[in-house]
Amino acid sequence: MEITYYNLGPQRRLHEIIFAGSHDAAITSGKRNVQTQNLNIYQQAKVGVRIFDLRILAKGDAQEASLFAYHGSGKKAKQHTMHSAHTGKVHNVDVSPGMSLGSTGLKLSDMLNSAKRFVTEPATRNEFLILKFDKCSNWQLIAETCIAILGDRIFKKRGATEFSKLTLQELAGKVVCVFNDKALKEIPGFTLGPQDGILGFRSLKSKKGPNKAYQPDYSGMQYFGKGGTAVSHVFHTKRKKRKENFDKQKKIMLQMANSDDLQSANVLGMMYWTATGLSSSIKHRDDVLWNRTGVHKMGELWRCGLEASIGHQMELERIKCLEWGGKMRMKAFFPNIVMIDFASYDKCKTIYELNKLKDEMLANAYTQYVGEDEPAEPGLQPKPRAAFA
């Protein structure tokens, strides 16, 4: 069974939809405290995942090495001069002989071919995928490998449209590659950019102090969210880990939902329904996150972000709104991306169905704001306090 987002409407923008993300997307093997997924990239895309969290390093020796996904930490790397069969060029590659903690997963080349296959096949040629690269080494080689393997399927951003305002039609049949913006800026002589298919991403969540501001002229992805629970809580029960994650994620989502900046509605919310641990089974903790109570709590967590954003805009007495399908809706911040472990059709379907709930909540909020007796024509401002965006 397949989940197709294009069916939500080709003119839907990224910030208007909710979709599943794969946490440590390529770790399909390893010990119970390392493995995070059962399906490869193509299979995850087929069941409904649209964004993939990837960490890449080179593993091998002076004679032969490959780029792999990893979870943990690699052994000290040595630099070797090596020829890439994918780029056709010679690169200086930092190669690790193995892992000191954790495990490697799928090869980058296999992941890219899987992604390309998904957006090329007739049944899913209107879908999109986002590959998010973070905590990597050999950034230049990774970027050039993405360009070489994906070919005409890599998304090249041209024009001034904000990333979150790209429509499903504009993204149809493309694989979007986004890289840690700070890391890209630190690569000596790096010249690849959005026009080549290499976009940056910015997390607006600060570790300390005020959160970062949304930049309308930034060409890459801007999101708000942070995953992970304290690995030191090794003796927490599975249910306590679920509560710990719920409380942390709720606090994070409410930070952006209660922002006075009306640009917050353009920020992609990233919510993590995962539970990190040091030694216990990730799969066993995940089962508790997705039992009947866990699914209810996930929905409650998602709704609290949108409800808070709606309520805060009402308090400000100024809203932004959008028209879709002949019906007006409030525009608000909410978790667009729900990051999960062990992606499956049932999980992704649960997340996909939040799109209908979101539309209902935003339509009701708009009606409440303007009043039942004040119908608004599409394209016209119903009140001076309401703005279209």
Side-chain angles (χ1 to χ4, degrees):
M1 302 178 74
E2 296 172 353
I3 293 174
T4 52
Y5 277 85
Y6 197 77
N7 290 342
L8 293 175
Q11 297 307 313
R12 287 277 191 171
R13 300 171 179 177
L14 270 183
H15 69 67
E16 295 180 77
I17 66 172
I18 303 108
F19 51 99
S22 179
H23 174 238
D24 278 314
I27 311 302
T28 57
S29 60
K31 294 181 179 180
R32 64 176 193 162
N33 63 330
V34 174
Q35 183 182 355
T36 50
Q37 303 294 338
N38 284 327
L39 307 177
N40 64 33
I41 299 301
Y42 173 77
Q43 292 167 333
Q44 290 182 50
K46 293 288 277 187
V47 300
V49 172
R50 289 297 175 269
I51 185 167
F52 300 83
D53 166 36
L54 302 173
R55 306 172 189 185
I56 308 294
L57 56 69
K59 187 180 75 169
D61 53 36
Q63 283 69 48
E64 184 178 5
S66 295
L67 294 171
F68 288 92
Y70 76 95
H71 183 194
S73 57
K75 294 180 180 179
K76 186 176 181 180
K78 293 183 179 180
Q79 190 171 94
H80 302 290
T81 301
M82 312 186 84
H83 179 269
S84 168
H86 303 296
T87 68
K89 296 165 60 176
V90 174
H91 301 264
N92 291 322
V93 186
D94 293 327
V95 180
S96 175
M99 299 294 293
S100 58
L101 181 67
S103 176
T104 53
L106 301 173
K107 277 187 177 183
L108 176 61
S109 58
D110 292 338
M111 291 187 279
L112 294 173
N113 281 314
S114 289
K116 184 176 182 180
R117 174 188 173 190
F118 176 77
V119 298
T120 304
E121 290 185 341
T124 49
R125 63 187 178 187
N126 286 326
E127 294 299 298
F128 71 94
L129 297 178
I130 302 174
L131 306 182
K132 176 177 172 284
F133 294 94
D134 197 9
K135 301 178 182 178
C136 303
S137 57
N138 304 297
W139 291 98
Q140 177 96 27
L141 176 57
I142 295 169
E144 292 188 20
T145 301
C146 289
I147 293 171
I149 293 179
L150 293 174
D152 63 358
R153 291 296 169 172
I154 196 169
F155 175 76
K156 297 180 180 179
K157 189 172 183 296
R158 299 183 176 91
T161 303
E162 296 165 49
F163 184 88
S164 67
K165 293 183 179 180
L166 291 168
T167 66
L168 297 182
Q169 188 171 52
E170 291 172 312
L171 294 170
K174 297 296 182 181
V175 179
V176 186
C177 296
V178 296
F179 291 70
N180 184 300
D181 185 71
K182 183 178 179 180
L184 290 183
K185 291 177 179 177
E186 293 175 351
I187 303 172
F190 189 77
T191 59
L192 298 174
Q195 71 282 356
D196 305 299
I198 305 302
L199 285 71
F201 72 76
R202 299 175 65 235
S203 170
L204 305 187
K205 176 75 175 69
S206 294
K207 292 182 179 179
K208 294 182 180 180
N211 292 311
K212 301 168 191 173
Y214 178 83
Q215 298 177 2
D217 58 349
Y218 181 72
S219 61
M221 183 175 83
Q222 300 180 78
Y223 73 93
F224 192 87
K226 180 175 174 54
T229 51
V231 296
S232 59
H233 296 166
V234 293
F235 298 112
H236 273 191
T237 64
K238 301 177 185 66
R239 288 178 177 81
K240 280 188 176 181
K241 292 294 281 187
R242 182 176 66 195
K243 184 180 186 304
E244 181 185 354
N245 183 69
F246 181 95
D247 293 343
K248 176 179 178 178
Q249 291 300 307
K250 182 177 180 179
K251 181 179 179 180
I252 291 172
M253 290 298 106
L254 291 181
Q255 286 181 28
M256 182 57 69
N258 290 318
S259 170
D260 291 343
D261 185 359
L262 285 176
Q263 291 283 4
S264 64
N266 296 321
V267 177
L268 297 180
M270 186 178 290
M271 182 182 106
Y272 285 77
W273 197 236
T274 60
T276 304
L278 189 63
S279 59
S280 59
S281 168
I282 296 174
K283 182 65 172 65
H284 290 169
R285 290 197 304 273
D286 188 70
D287 289 342
V288 174
L289 288 172
W290 288 95
N291 63 20
R292 181 178 297 181
T293 302
V295 171
H296 174 77
K297 297 298 288 184
M298 188 276 290
E300 179 185 343
L301 175 61
W302 182 87
R303 287 193 302 274
C304 81
L306 178 54
E307 288 171 350
S309 182
I310 290 172
H312 190 63
Q313 287 195 56
M314 294 286 196
E315 291 175 3
L316 293 176
E317 295 191 343
R318 177 173 172 79
I319 70 167
K320 287 190 174 185
C321 48
L322 288 165
E323 183 272 336
W324 178 258
K327 195 167 189 177
M328 300 300 299
R329 294 176 175 85
M330 180 186 285
K331 182 179 177 182
F333 169 81
F334 54 85
N336 302 88
I337 303 164
V338 181
M339 301 297 292
I340 59 176
D341 291 324
F342 297 99
S344 69
Y345 174 81
D346 288 341
K347 293 175 182 177
C348 292
K349 182 68 172 177
T350 298
I351 294 166
Y352 179 85
E353 289 174 347
L354 291 172
N355 283 282
K356 182 178 180 180
L357 174 61
K358 174 263 304 177
D359 282 343
E360 292 173 352
M361 291 175 67
L362 292 176
N364 291 338
Y366 177 84
T367 300
Q368 180 183 349
Y369 181 78
V370 301
E372 295 280 359
D373 58 342
E374 296 185 44
E377 298 178 36
L380 298 179
Q381 293 188 359
K383 282 186 177 183
R385 298 173 297 177
F388 287 81

